[in-house]
Amino acid sequence: MNAPPTGWHDAAACLVDGSGEVVAFCEEERLSRRRHSIYRKPRLAAESCLARAGITAADLDVVAIGWDAEQLFPGRFRDDREFLEHIVGLAFGDRLPEVVRVPHHLAHATSAFHASPYERAAVLVVDGNGENESSSVWTFARDAPPRLERAWPRSASLGYLYDAASTWLGFSFLNAGKTMGLAAYGRAAGLSTAPLAEVDGDGFRLALPGPLGGGGALGGGGALGTGGALGGSGPLGGSERATAAQIRAEYETTVAAWRGLYSRIAGATGPDLPEERLADDPRAVLVAYTAQRAVEECVTALAALARKAAGVEELCLAGGVALNCSTNGLLPGPVFVPPVPHDAGVALGAAWSVRPPTAAPAPLDPYLGSPVREPHGPAPAAYGLVRAELSVEQVAGLLLDGQVGAIAEGRAEVGPRALCHRSILAVPRDAGVADRVNRIKDRERWRPFAGVTRAAHGPRFWGDVGHLSRYMLGAAPVTPEGRATAAGVVHVDGTTRPQLLAGDEAPVVGALLDELDRQGAPPVLLNTSFNGKGEPIVDSADDALRAFRAMDLDFLILEDSVYRKPYRR
C-alpha cells in the first residue's frame, strides 16, 4: 500500500493473491472524495479490497508498503502492530501479518514491469524523490531478481524542477498536468528556452541555482549543480540517507531555488494574468515550456541509458514524472507505462515485490476498482431525473446532436486517466466542444482533451504511440484527418493523448464508436474524466448521480440506463 506517514499523498491499497493476480486496487480518494487523499490513511481503500475478496484483515499473510519507513521515521513505531494500526487503521486481531517495507523506487519499478507484456525490460523511475534517489535505472526479467543499474540523488530531482515551475505558475505541485498543458503553447510558438540541464551519454546534470550549484554556468544565470550520475549496481553512491523531515527541508530549499531561477528567466516572480488566462501570458508559457523541455531532454537521455544498461529495447517507466504524456510520446518505442505510475502505484508494486505474478506476461487490466453498484442514496427519481433503457443508437444520436454526456459502468479504472468506465463523452468534430466541456468541468479554457477510438481506426486520427495509448499516457501527433474531423481533441501543438480500445474492455463506449461508424460519422469521441472541479473521478452510482446533477451535462449512462434532466429536450 501507499500510506502515511511515508506516502502522504495518493494513498492506495492493492490486494493480490498467492499467485500475484490482482484481486482489487483502490485509491483512497475515490471513496473519501478527498482528491489525492493528502495525509489520509487508505482505510476505506483497504476495506474495499478486502470486501472484494470476501476476507478480513486477519486473513492477510503480508502487508507491504512502498517506502522504507524505518529510514524515514527512525524509532517512531514500537513494533509492527503499532506501525500497521497507524498506516491503515484496520483491526488485525491476534494474527498479525508479516510487514514488508519495500524501497520506494523498487516498488515503482516493480509495478511498471509486472504490469507490462515484456519478459525482460529496462525500467526507468523518475519522480520527486524516493528515500535517497530521484531517478533510477533497473533491469527486470521474469526469471531473475531486479537489478539496480544506476541512480541519481534527490538533488538531481526532475520532479522538484517541475514542482517549482508548477508552483511559480500558481498551481499546486499536484497539478503538474496543468503545467504540461500550458507548455504546449510554448512548443506551438517555437519558443527558445534557457537550458536547465547538461545531457550526455552518461546521464545529465542540472543547473541548480544559487548555493546549491557548483561548476560551470548554464543558461539563465544558474550554476551547474550536483545532478551528476551516481551509483551502479549496488547502493546509491554518494547520496545521504535522510529522514522524512530532512528530505522535506531539502525539498523546500531546492524548489525555492528553482523558483528563483524561473523568476530570473521570466523577469517576474509570477504570472501577469490569472489562471484562466495563462495561455495568453508570455511569461507563464515560457516558464512552463522551459521546465517541460528540461524534463523531455533528461528523460530521453535516461531512457537511452536504461536501454543500454539492460541490453534490450523494451522500456517501462514509472514515478510521477511518467504521467508526463508529452515526454512519453517523444520516446522511441517500445515503451510501456502502467495506468498507475504515480505514488498510488507503489501499492501495486509493493504487493508484487512480495508476490510477483506467475501468469504469462500481459498488459494490466486497468478496471480493478469498485463496481458501480445500485445507488444507496436517493433514487434517481428523487433527483427529478427521467430514466430510459440504454439504446446505443439513441445515445449516438444525442452525441451527434452536440450533446455532452457521462458514463459510469462496470468496475472503475485505476489511475488518474478516465478509460471509458468513468468518463465524460462528446463528439469532437469542432473545437467549440472543448470550450463547452471545459465550462462543464469548470476548467481553464486552455486545457486540452483526449480522444478515444477503436484500435483499427487509430491511424486515421493520430500517430502510433504503442502501449501508451492503452491507458492514455502518451501524446501523439494528430493526422490531417484527425484535425479535420476531431478538432475538439487537438491541442495547440497538434497533439492529442489518445486511447485505443482493443477489444470489449469498455463495452458501451465501444458500441457507441461502432454506431457512429455505422451512421457514417468519424468513430472518435472526446473522452475526459467524470468529475467536477477539485474532485476525484466518480466511483459509485451515487457519485455519478450527484456529479450529473451538479454539472451542466445532458445525459448520464449508468450501467443499462440513461438518465436525463427533465428540463433537457
Side-chain angles (χ1 to χ4, degrees):
M1 61 179 60
N2 187 47
T6 48
W8 61 275
H9 60 84
D10 296 302
C14 178
L15 179 65
V16 304
D17 64 17
S19 63
E21 181 177 352
V22 180
V23 177
F25 183 108
C26 185
E27 294 170 75
E28 184 71 11
E29 68 167 22
R30 299 293 183 94
L31 302 180
S32 70
R33 309 308 300 160
R34 298 290 190 273
R35 194 167 188 182
H36 296 295
S37 52
I38 296 174
Y39 291 116
R40 295 183 72 92
K41 301 176 183 180
R43 182 178 63 82
L44 297 176
E47 289 174 344
S48 175
C49 291
L50 295 171
R52 183 77 187 170
I55 62 174
T56 68
D59 297 312
L60 294 172
D61 296 315
V62 181
V63 173
I65 184 168
W67 291 90
D68 182 354
E70 289 300 308
Q71 174 187 325
L72 298 178
F73 294 92
R76 176 165 177 175
F77 303 103
R78 290 191 304 270
D79 51 30
D80 284 349
R81 181 176 294 279
E82 183 180 50
F83 177 67
L84 285 178
E85 289 177 352
H86 179 87
I87 68 171
V88 68
L90 295 179
F92 289 91
D94 295 332
R95 183 176 178 274
L96 196 69
E98 178 187 359
V99 177
V100 176
R101 298 162 179 86
V102 180
H104 189 61
H105 272 218
L106 175 59
H108 268 314
T110 302
S111 72
F113 176 71
H114 286 300
S116 81
Y118 306 140
E119 289 283 356
R120 180 183 175 90
V123 182
L124 171 61
V125 180
V126 186
D127 63 2
N129 64 273
E131 295 84 3
N132 307 300
E133 61 282 291
S134 59
S135 298
S136 57
V137 167
W138 304 75
T139 295
F140 269 73
R142 302 280 172 179
D143 58 354
R147 185 173 73 244
L148 173 63
E149 305 286 1
R150 299 280 294 278
W152 285 258
R154 294 183 302 269
S155 59
S157 174
L158 295 174
Y160 292 2
L161 177 156
Y162 215 79
D163 283 0
S166 298
T167 54
W168 187 96
L169 291 163
F171 309 145
S172 159
F173 78 97
L174 294 168
N175 291 140
K178 292 186 180 184
T179 305
M180 180 180 67
L182 187 62
Y185 289 83
R187 191 189 312 278
L191 290 185
S192 296
T193 61
L196 301 186
E198 182 181 84
V199 173
D200 58 31
D202 195 43
F204 71 98
R205 291 168 64 85
L206 294 179
L208 291 174
L212 299 173
L218 289 179
L224 186 66
T226 57
L230 293 178
S233 59
L236 185 69
S239 180
E240 295 183 3
R241 291 169 60 87
T243 65
Q246 290 168 332
I247 291 172
R248 183 67 183 178
E250 179 185 69
Y251 171 85
E252 296 289 353
T253 300
T254 307
V255 169
W258 278 120
R259 275 201 302 266
L261 178 55
Y262 292 132
S263 294
R264 292 198 292 276
I265 288 171
T269 58
D272 293 324
L273 296 176
E275 190 168 318
E276 62 271 17
R277 296 181 56 202
L278 284 183
D280 301 319
D281 185 337
R283 299 182 197 272
V285 171
L286 176 62
V287 167
Y289 189 49
T290 298
Q292 179 66 30
R293 286 294 298 141
V295 167
E296 290 171 357
E297 291 167 1
C298 293
V299 170
T300 298
L302 288 171
L305 191 153
R307 284 172 159 144
K308 181 179 179 180
V312 295
E313 288 302 305
E314 289 76 13
L315 175 69
C316 300
L317 302 180
V321 176
L323 285 173
N324 193 302
C325 303
S326 297
T327 299
N328 297 346
L330 296 175
L331 300 176
V335 179
F336 180 88
V337 181
V340 283
H342 60 310
D343 271 11
V346 302
L348 176 61
W352 270 342
S353 295
V354 176
R355 295 285 187 272
T358 58
L364 181 69
D365 179 352
Y367 307 105
L368 300 168
S370 306
V372 170
R373 299 193 183 95
E374 291 297 319
H376 297 292
Y383 288 126
L385 303 180
V386 179
R387 178 191 175 276
E389 290 291 328
L390 172 63
S391 164
V392 170
E393 182 177 1
Q394 291 177 1
V395 171
L398 297 177
L399 290 166
L400 287 170
D401 283 342
Q403 296 196 22
V404 178
I407 182 168
E409 73 156 329
R411 292 180 69 176
E413 53 271 79
V414 299
R417 304 287 184 250
L419 300 174
C420 299
H421 279 211
R422 304 289 189 275
S423 290
I424 290 174
L425 306 170
V427 166
R429 58 189 161 204
D430 61 68
V433 71
D435 290 337
R436 186 188 169 199
V437 178
N438 271 326
R439 287 197 301 273
I440 288 171
K441 296 192 67 173
D442 195 17
R443 302 195 326 170
E444 301 82 6
R445 56 175 288 273
W446 47 266
R447 302 273 296 279
F449 289 106
V452 59
T453 191
R454 290 286 196 187
H457 296 295
R460 293 174 53 185
F461 303 114
W462 43 71
D464 181 12
V465 288
H467 289 295
L468 296 175
S469 61
R470 185 179 297 275
Y471 311 123
M472 206 186 290
L473 284 169
V478 178
T479 66
E481 181 179 357
R483 287 175 178 270
T485 62
V489 297
V490 183
H491 199 21
V492 65
D493 62 351
T495 66
T496 192
R497 188 180 61 203
Q499 181 190 3
L500 297 181
L501 297 181
D504 63 353
E505 62 266 41
V508 174
V509 173
L512 286 170
L513 291 168
D514 294 342
E515 180 62 23
L516 292 175
D517 193 34
R518 189 189 69 79
Q519 295 189 29
V524 60
L525 288 168
L526 180 153
N527 172 24
T528 188
S529 57
F530 184 12
N531 60 287
K533 185 174 184 178
E535 297 178 342
I537 300 173
V538 305
D539 194 71
S540 67
D542 292 311
D543 298 335
L545 287 165
R546 282 193 294 268
F548 176 57
R549 290 186 68 240
M551 303 169 75
D552 188 27
L553 292 161
D554 297 305
F555 63 88
L556 168 66
I557 302 169
L558 191 58
E559 295 285 58
D560 59 356
S561 300
V562 178
Y563 292 98
R564 307 288 304 278
K565 295 166 182 172
Y567 49 85
R568 299 276 178 161
R569 299 182 62 182

